[in-house]
Amino acid sequence: MSDKFTTDILQDMTQIQVSANIQASIQQVWDCWTQAEHVKHWNFASDDWHCPEAQNTLEIGKEFHYIMAAKDGSFSFDFWGTFTQIEPLENLEITLGEGRQVSVQFIPEGDSVWVKESFDPESENPEEMQQMGWQMILDNFKKYVEQLPA
């Protein structure tokens, strides 16, 4: 990871940060992140979960709703939020349903794109567990995008 990312992490220790370098164009990375038909293919942390429904209205003040569910049917929830800032191909700012803030940056670097997420932790789970879960979802995103045709 470059010094730029390390500096950003040190500047805001109250949020949790995850990142991944995706070998794809900025347009493909943006589309896969923001289009509901793609989100269903990567938005889960482990193989025993899935995202059977995804709705997304990519406009400031509009919402996304991603149903995250255990494949065995034992548990599901609506992960949702409202877009508060949209800079196409660069940045998304989101307020989650319970009020936590999320920032997603898309940073081109050569033939790849860094995706960097910063989010307010919730109080029910340890921060290390939250970071691990969000990183696993981001790793799924990377795997999904990189297997698509360029």
Side-chain angles (χ1 to χ4, degrees):
M1 204 156 29
S2 74
D3 290 340
K4 175 172 63 172
F5 295 118
T6 305
T7 301
D8 289 350
I9 290 170
L10 293 174
Q11 288 175 346
D12 190 2
M13 294 300 285
T14 62
Q15 289 196 314
I16 297 172
Q17 314 246 334
V18 297
S19 63
N21 186 266
I22 317 296
Q23 299 296 311
S25 71
I26 184 67
Q27 188 66 59
Q28 189 169 35
V29 170
W30 177 263
D31 290 347
C32 289
W33 192 273
T34 60
Q35 295 175 4
E37 63 266 21
H38 289 292
V39 173
K40 293 191 290 186
H41 296 282
W42 60 263
N43 192 35
F44 43 89
S46 65
D47 289 339
D48 54 342
W49 279 73
H50 63 150
C51 182
E53 275 185 55
Q55 298 174 354
N56 184 358
T57 305
L58 190 62
E59 297 175 24
I60 293 174
K62 301 291 184 175
E63 296 178 353
F64 67 86
H65 290 265
Y66 304 150
I67 302 301
M68 301 176 81
K71 287 182 179 177
D72 67 6
S74 63
F75 188 76
S76 70
F77 63 96
D78 182 6
F79 181 75
W80 71 279
T82 303
F83 295 105
T84 57
Q85 182 179 341
I86 301 168
E87 296 174 43
L89 307 177
E90 293 180 19
N91 187 56
L92 294 171
E93 299 289 332
I94 299 162
T95 299
L96 296 178
E98 73 274 11
R100 296 186 297 136
Q101 301 300 306
V102 177
S103 175
V104 186
Q105 294 178 306
F106 302 86
I107 305 164
E109 186 177 276
D111 292 336
S112 65
V113 178
W114 279 100
V115 176
K116 178 184 163 193
E117 287 184 276
S118 306
F119 62 95
D120 293 338
E122 42 92 349
S123 58
E124 293 180 26
N125 295 295
E127 288 187 17
E128 298 80 24
M129 181 185 292
Q130 294 176 62
Q131 183 175 30
M132 185 176 66
W134 283 58
Q135 185 66 56
M136 290 169 72
I137 293 170
L138 188 54
D139 291 347
N140 274 348
F141 175 75
K142 174 183 172 66
K143 183 169 45 172
Y144 173 73
V145 174
E146 290 181 350
Q147 59 85 36
L148 293 173

